[in-house]
Amino acid sequence: MKTEQEREQLIKAINVLLNQAYDSTLDEIYALLQKIEDEEEENDLKAYHAAKSDVENNSLIAWEDIKQEIANEKNKDVA
């Protein structure tokens, strides 16, 4: 897990490279990021359906709680 300062430095370095990239490279990067996002959403849905199929969990966990937990885990991964 990166510190906030490490994260900011990494984003700045990425921005420098992005600003120097060809348009076609930017298109490829965007497509890759979209693919990653789609895969993460698919994994989130798979995890949700697995939890939903468990009758005990289904009666104990509210959907809003699940969404919040997923968001928290994503934030941990980003940070």
Side-chain angles (χ1 to χ4, degrees):
M1 195 178 321
K2 297 193 179 303
T3 66
E4 186 65 28
Q5 184 178 8
E6 290 171 326
R7 180 175 160 70
E8 288 176 15
Q9 289 174 345
L10 183 58
I11 290 171
K12 286 179 185 177
I14 290 170
N15 279 328
V16 167
L17 294 174
L18 287 174
N19 285 316
Q20 296 171 356
Y22 292 112
D23 289 343
S24 60
T25 302
L26 293 174
D27 291 338
E28 290 176 25
I29 292 168
Y30 181 76
L32 179 60
L33 290 172
Q34 284 296 117
K35 181 180 176 186
I36 292 168
E37 181 68 23
D38 291 345
E39 288 173 359
E40 288 176 350
E41 287 180 17
E42 184 178 330
N43 289 337
D44 292 345
L45 283 175
K46 285 179 183 177
Y48 165 72
H49 288 295
K52 185 178 178 184
S53 68
D54 182 354
V55 176
E56 277 187 32
N57 287 342
N58 191 32
S59 64
L60 298 175
I61 301 174
W63 172 237
E64 290 302 319
D65 294 340
I66 293 170
K67 288 194 303 187
Q68 183 61 43
E69 186 172 333
I70 290 170
N72 290 340
E73 287 298 319
K74 282 184 181 180
N75 289 337
K76 287 180 185 176
D77 290 344
V78 170

